Amino acid sequence: MSLQAMDEDYAEHAGRRISEIMDIKKYHELGYKGKGIKIAILDSGLGPDYLQALKKNAVRWDSDERKKITARAKEVGKKVYCDERGLIVDFTKEDSTTDALEIDEDDDYAVDQNGHGTFVTGLIGSVNPDCPGIAPETEIYILKLFNDEEMTYSAWFLDAFNFVLDNGIDIVNLSTASKDSKDNPFIEKIEELTAAGVIVVSAIGNDGPTQGTSESPADLHTVIGVGSLSYNFDRVATFSSRGMSKKSMLVSVGVPKPDVLLPGEEILGLGLEPGVCRLNRGTSFSVPMLTGSIALVLSAIEEERGIEYRK
């Protein structure tokens, strides 16, 4: 499993904000900003300054809600920071057994060292007008699955997936991809998520333009696989993977992937430094565009028709 970002120093064109690419203003003006929708971002964490802001505003819940929301984290030996918009869990830490809401400003808990998770999170929830997010009122759950060396393990993902199931997450954002299409425990847990009604959105990979390069779990038929469009939206981005789904080809006929193509070149989003926007490209960053868009739609349905209709 790897993060699906391209070389950040490469850029042929000027960067563009999400608000310039997608007509989100009209939805925001109607009050649809993702309120009430829970999104889990399984990635490399969040920039230290953004994390400290969340930690300083953490809520010391004593209610049943706190017990419920931290139950899974404590079970697997994790601490969790909660605030009014979501929470933070670092699944790469094996010794995080202190009080779930103990605040330590010098802690490196869930800190994003490479900027990938911060950028992905910002495309969904940023309130910075220079690089705004699509759904800034969503409840965002930062689940760190990649350590400082960008390494991860299936076991960490399985713990995170169980956490998703236990905490009523609506959408899982996976700006990641794996060439291993035979990791059965991982795949079975993904299928358990989708069977439970969780929407899973995943990057198809950056190994294009050759056919047969689609990666897991985006090539599963139960997962929305997202690829990238070129800067002018007139073709598939050269780097975007594509082809028939490998898993289904083993038992029947392959399904063409990706399912959706969205902009993925020269996107402006949050950098690690507060208030600074940076350029990025890759299928990783097409994924949160769809995740945020789904959140807008779900929040609009919930507001107009009620939560039961939305479910």
Side-chain angles (χ1 to χ4, degrees), residues 130-289:
D130 293 325
C131 42
I134 295 174
E137 292 185 2
T138 51
E139 295 177 31
I140 295 178
Y141 291 63
I142 305 296
L143 308 186
K144 181 172 179 176
L145 273 297
F146 289 84
N147 63 21
D148 296 347
E149 288 74 42
E150 297 186 18
M151 292 176 59
T152 190
Y153 297 93
S154 291
W156 293 348
F157 272 88
L158 295 179
D159 283 339
F161 290 154
N162 284 326
F163 183 88
V164 165
L165 287 169
D166 291 345
N167 288 285
I169 303 298
D170 298 298
I171 312 169
V172 169
N173 188 101
L174 291 172
S175 291
T176 59
S178 172
K179 293 178 172 61
D180 185 359
S181 60
K182 297 181 180 180
D183 185 348
N184 290 327
F186 180 91
I187 292 171
E188 288 168 3
K189 186 59 68 171
I190 288 280
E191 291 174 344
E192 184 180 346
L193 289 179
T194 56
V198 180
I199 299 169
V200 180
V201 188
S202 181
I204 199 65
N206 293 337
D207 291 324
T210 308
Q211 290 289 331
T213 52
S214 59
E215 299 187 12
S216 180
D219 71 344
L220 298 177
H221 74 279
T222 55
V223 173
I224 304 176
V226 183
S228 294
L229 287 168
S230 65
Y231 184 83
N232 294 321
F233 314 150
D234 56 352
R235 58 178 174 81
V236 181
T238 303
F239 58 77
S240 186
S241 297
R242 64 205 75 185
M244 296 294 181
S245 56
K246 300 179 182 71
K247 186 68 175 178
S248 58
M249 285 181 71
L250 296 175
V251 295
S252 59
V253 178
V255 177
K257 287 282 186 169
D259 302 293
V260 180
L261 291 168
L262 286 167
E265 292 188 345
E266 281 66 80
I267 307 299
L268 270 176
L270 287 181
L272 286 175
E273 298 179 13
V276 175
C277 302
R278 57 177 270 199
L279 278 179
N280 235 323
R281 63 197 298 267
T283 53
S284 274
F285 313 117
S286 301
V287 173
M289 293 187 194

Side-chain angles (χ1 to χ4, degrees), residues 82-93:
C82 305
D83 85 335
E84 61 191 19
R85 287 191 54 204
L87 55 81
I88 309 159
V89 186
D90 190 339
F91 286 90
T92 72
K93 298 284 189 182

